[in-house]
């Protein structure tokens, strides 16, 4: 985690036009070695910036937004720390989502229609809680500071690549940190059989911890929730409504994500003068188009309503 943060700080400290093309071996070699051991890529990612970066302050009290801090901070003040803390809180809200998802999967396998209906209703409520946690980003994150001070350091080198001295003589292309690297959101899509057929989302799994990636592959092999609902839809209107409630909850989450992007990226971008960072003006830190990509995900999600 520390090596990846130092690496991104080194690369982007003087702006994108002065960024080095070679990562010195003093950073490249230990970063690559450690990354292989923890099954993460040698660059900042969601797992290192959030999952491994949260400190439980008072362990006699529940881990929640007011009881956590960061091990390491990137450039920016406490407002920018809030970006990672609020994201950590979102991860906490994913836990009941996954618990209910797995309970529902068991009920699907047992062909218990009533239990599946109940679990889907509960899952939809948990997804709404997840969205509410996501929107707490507004409480402490300043849009200008995020855009100008923090966001440039979250990007990778997915276009021209970076030579990792002592590791490779050829440029290695790496994506930066992205919300798409959150395992829980992809797990929900897989469970509901919402298929985006997105090369970008598949590539983001390479930036997840190895055990998370394998978990998603396992879900893809076993989850047939939508098929089950369709098969039992004729005499079970409540089952269909419960499934659709989950799909709408996910679509609502993606709509709120679009609003976050508009506030923290599009508006500051429209107000800025040319500066040291332009590579992220029209793409996310993961390298994908911003609003068109997010709207496509949202609209495709709704197309899976029954």
């Amino acid at each position: 985690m520390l090596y990846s943060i130092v690496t991104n700080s080194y690369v982007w400290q003087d702006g994108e036009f002065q960024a080095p093309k070679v990562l010195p071996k003093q950073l490249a070699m230990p970063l690559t070695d450690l990354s292989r051991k923890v099954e993460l890529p040698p660059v900042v990612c969601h797992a290192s910036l959030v999952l491994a970066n949260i400190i439980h302050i008072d362990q006699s009290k529940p881990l929640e937004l007011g009881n956590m801090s960061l091990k390491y901070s990137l450039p920016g003040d406490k407002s920018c720390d809030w970006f990672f803390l609020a994201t950590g809180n979102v991860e906490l809200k994913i836990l009941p989502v996954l618990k209910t998802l797995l309970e529902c999967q068991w009920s699907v396998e047992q062909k218990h229609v009533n239990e599946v209906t109940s679990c889907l209703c509960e899952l939809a409520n948990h997804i709404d809680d997840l969205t509410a946690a996501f929107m707490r980003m507004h409480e402490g994150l300043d849009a200008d500071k995020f855009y100008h001070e923090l966001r440039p350091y979250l990007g990778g080198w997915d276009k021209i690549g970076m030579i990792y001295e002592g590791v490779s003589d050829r440029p290695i292309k790496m994506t930066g940190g992205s919300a798409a690297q959150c395992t829980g959101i992809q797990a929900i899509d897989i469970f509901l059989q919402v298929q985006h057929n997105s090369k970008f989302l598949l590539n983001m799994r390479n930036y997840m911890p190895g055990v998370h990636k394998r978990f998603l592959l396992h879900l893809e092999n076993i989850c047939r929730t939508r098929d089950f609902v369709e098969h039992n839809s004729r005499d079970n209107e409540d089952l269909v409504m419960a499934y659709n409630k989950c799909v709408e909850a996910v679509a609502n989450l993606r709509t709120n994500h679009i609003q976050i992007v508009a506030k923290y990226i599009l508006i500051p971008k429209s107000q800025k003068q040319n500066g040291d960072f332009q590579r992220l003006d029209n793409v996310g830190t993961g390298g994908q188009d911003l609003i068109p990509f997010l709207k496509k995900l949202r609209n495709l999600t709704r197309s899976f309503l029954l």
Side-chain angles (χ1 to χ4, degrees), residues 178-239:
S178 170
Q181 295 163 6
C182 174
T183 306
I185 304 302
Q186 291 209 29
I188 296 170
D189 281 336
I190 293 171
F191 174 72
L192 296 174
Q193 290 185 274
V194 173
Q195 300 172 353
H196 294 290
N197 297 320
S198 167
K199 291 182 179 180
F200 172 76
L201 290 180
L202 285 177
N203 181 48
M204 288 300 96
R205 296 187 189 182
N206 295 320
Y207 295 81
M208 298 176 184
V211 65
H212 290 202
K213 182 178 179 180
R214 291 187 288 275
F215 173 67
L216 293 181
L217 290 173
H218 176 65
L219 288 182
E220 284 182 328
N221 289 329
I222 66 171
C223 289
R224 300 294 182 269
T225 310
R226 192 174 191 273
D227 294 342
F228 177 84
V229 174
E230 275 193 301
H231 181 73
N232 294 279
S233 62
R234 178 170 298 180
D235 300 318
N236 296 282
E237 183 178 346
D238 288 346
L239 176 65

Side-chain angles (χ1 to χ4, degrees), residues 108-141:
V108 169
E109 292 172 358
Q110 301 303 311
K111 300 181 180 180
H112 293 164
V113 172
N114 291 338
E115 286 81 355
V116 172
T117 302
S118 177
C119 282
L120 287 173
C121 289
E122 183 178 351
L123 179 60
N125 291 334
H126 287 319
I127 297 172
D128 287 340
D129 292 340
L130 180 62
T131 300
F134 187 36
M135 297 309 287
R136 293 196 66 182
M137 197 70 70
H138 296 295
E139 295 179 19
L141 182 61

